[in-house]
Amino acid sequence: MVPRSKKLIIILTGVILMTSLLTLLAGCFRKIAGGNEPETSGTSSASPAVATPGELCRIKLESSAGSMEYHSEFAIEVTPEEIVRAEYWPEEGTDSIDIPTKSHVPITAEQWADLEKIVGDLYPELRPIPEQDDSEPLTVDGEEIEILDGGDYWNFWLTWKTEEGEVTVRYGNVSDRRIRTLDDLLRELADPIGREIVWYDPPEIGGVFFHDDETDESFQLTDFGEELYYFITRWHEGKEKKDLTKIVDASVWPPFKEFLGAQDYARFPEGWSFHDPRTVTIYYTDGRQKTWQPDEEAAAALREFFLSQVPEVEKMEKKG
């Protein structure tokens, strides 16, 4: 048995970044790099507009799939005027054993405008994270960790020009598929090969599930496919327990979409459905979902709205 004084070696398995293009979902916008500005859909997004701290003046991105994916390292720092520095493995391959680099390469106003647009689109989803101190070794139970494998990472910084001066903020990765547009734009700057840049519609609210263990009530309206929705309610009227389960057509959805779009559940703590006693889960059209723990007032408003729609749902013809 190795003494505890010996260095603990932990082999970390790298996570392979999935970069292959997915089948485009309905409602996506396309454009070729350097082409016309994408149109707007006129539909509400999953996140409300949020003002940025100031004028965007620098973008820095570093990423790698780690040792499990050969030649996946990528890094770029860009300003409105130029690529300050980029390190990248060309999409079409290279015989070099060293990663190619380029510095101080001018970019066009149109290229920077595309970057500003996608950052603005993503900004409501971005969450600042503290800078990590790499000077201290990683430890587990007081033992130093030596990383022999893995090493995947995604580091992202934005610099804003504010009234107090320039401020650089580090942000965490997001699950929003629009992050692919940012990544492709930056890779096309570093390695211009005529990539197709896909501009995705902002995700919209597509469904909701609420449950409250204290009252033993739950309310659900979720997409059932083929323009159908799954409506499930369990509630109490006095001491009488009632429920309604029905598959109905999409005409049920508009009032719910309007109601949910006006709520601000993000002000509540994040939750874990069926683990926390009272949660509301919002489903989005890009496949994501978010769960929060609403207070009694917000829960009562959601309950009241659901119950106000029960008579209308009861009138609808059951599908399937």
Side-chain angles (χ1 to χ4, degrees):
M1 180 178 293
V2 179
R4 287 186 58 83
S5 59
K6 295 290 185 180
K7 181 182 295 183
L8 176 64
I9 299 178
I10 297 179
I11 299 178
L12 301 178
T13 303
V15 178
I16 301 177
L17 296 178
M18 304 301 292
T19 56
S20 57
L21 289 175
L22 301 177
T23 302
L24 294 180
L25 302 178
C28 295
F29 291 115
R30 293 173 174 266
K31 83 167 195 173
I32 304 299
N36 295 326
E37 193 70 14
E39 300 175 6
T40 57
S41 64
T43 56
S44 60
S45 65
S47 300
V50 178
T52 60
E55 179 185 352
L56 182 65
C57 59
R58 188 177 297 261
I59 299 171
K60 183 178 178 181
L61 175 69
E62 302 172 345
S63 65
S64 172
S67 60
M68 295 296 290
E69 187 169 330
Y70 188 56
H71 284 181
S72 63
E73 296 84 5
F74 175 70
I76 189 169
E77 184 173 357
V78 59
T79 69
E81 295 80 27
E82 65 173 5
I83 299 172
V84 179
R85 180 174 174 82
E87 299 180 1
Y88 62 96
W89 294 104
E91 191 79 16
E92 299 176 353
T94 177
D95 295 330
S96 174
I97 61 172
D98 298 316
I99 188 169
T101 64
K102 60 175 58 173
S103 302
H104 304 297
V105 178
I107 69 170
T108 68
E110 290 77 12
Q111 288 171 320
W112 180 254
D114 279 346
L115 291 172
E116 280 189 309
K117 173 172 173 48
I118 192 59
V119 167
D121 290 346
L122 284 167
Y123 187 74
E125 300 291 332
L126 297 178
R127 298 292 178 266
I129 60 174
E131 291 286 355
Q132 59 188 17
D133 184 2
D134 296 328
S135 63
E136 296 294 328
L138 296 175
T139 60
V140 172
D141 294 333
E143 299 286 352
E144 183 179 342
I145 298 172
E146 180 179 348
I147 300 177
L148 299 182
D149 201 355
D152 57 289
Y153 56 85
W154 192 91
N155 301 318
F156 182 53
W157 297 265
L158 297 175
T159 300
W160 307 97
K161 188 180 297 183
T162 71
E163 293 181 356
E164 290 75 31
E166 291 189 0
V167 177
T168 299
V169 182
R170 184 183 179 194
Y171 298 94
N173 205 347
V174 296
S175 58
D176 193 306
R177 63 187 176 183
R178 290 175 292 175
I179 201 72
R180 302 175 204 161
T181 304
L182 173 63
D183 189 72
D184 285 343
L185 285 170
L186 291 172
R187 288 178 184 273
E188 181 65 17
L189 278 181
D191 180 27
I193 60 172
R195 291 173 177 82
E196 182 180 25
I197 307 299
V198 181
W199 292 83
Y200 297 94
D201 265 343
E204 295 185 322
I205 296 172
V208 59
F209 171 72
F210 168 81
H211 84 100
D212 191 331
D213 290 347
E214 183 176 346
T215 62
D216 190 28
E217 295 181 323
S218 64
F219 304 92
Q220 175 179 341
L221 185 63
T222 48
D223 187 3
F224 194 70
E226 299 182 358
E227 298 297 315
L228 300 176
Y229 278 81
Y230 206 9
F231 185 90
I232 308 175
T233 57
R234 293 189 303 111
W235 76 99
H236 291 87
E237 289 186 5
K239 295 184 178 180
E240 185 180 0
K241 187 173 183 179
K242 294 194 171 186
D243 65 85
L244 174 62
T245 299
K246 206 168 187 179
I247 298 174
V248 293
D249 63 54
S251 63
V252 72
W253 177 240
F256 284 89
K257 181 179 179 181
E258 181 178 358
F259 172 82
L260 294 168
Q263 309 309 305
D264 181 21
Y265 295 124
R267 72 184 190 273
F268 299 116
E270 292 186 3
W272 182 7
S273 191
F274 295 116
H275 178 271
D276 296 308
R278 180 200 295 137
T279 63
V280 56
T281 299
I282 303 297
Y283 300 90
Y284 296 98
T285 54
D286 63 353
R288 292 182 301 144
Q289 63 187 60
K290 294 183 180 179
T291 300
W292 293 281
Q293 301 179 64
D295 61 17
E296 290 186 7
E297 183 179 357
L302 181 59
R303 178 185 187 275
E304 180 181 356
F305 180 78
F306 253 93
L307 293 182
S308 73
Q309 300 300 305
V310 166
E312 295 301 317
V313 173
E314 287 178 324
K315 297 176 188 176
M316 293 181 177
E317 179 183 353
K318 187 172 184 179
K319 307 290 183 179

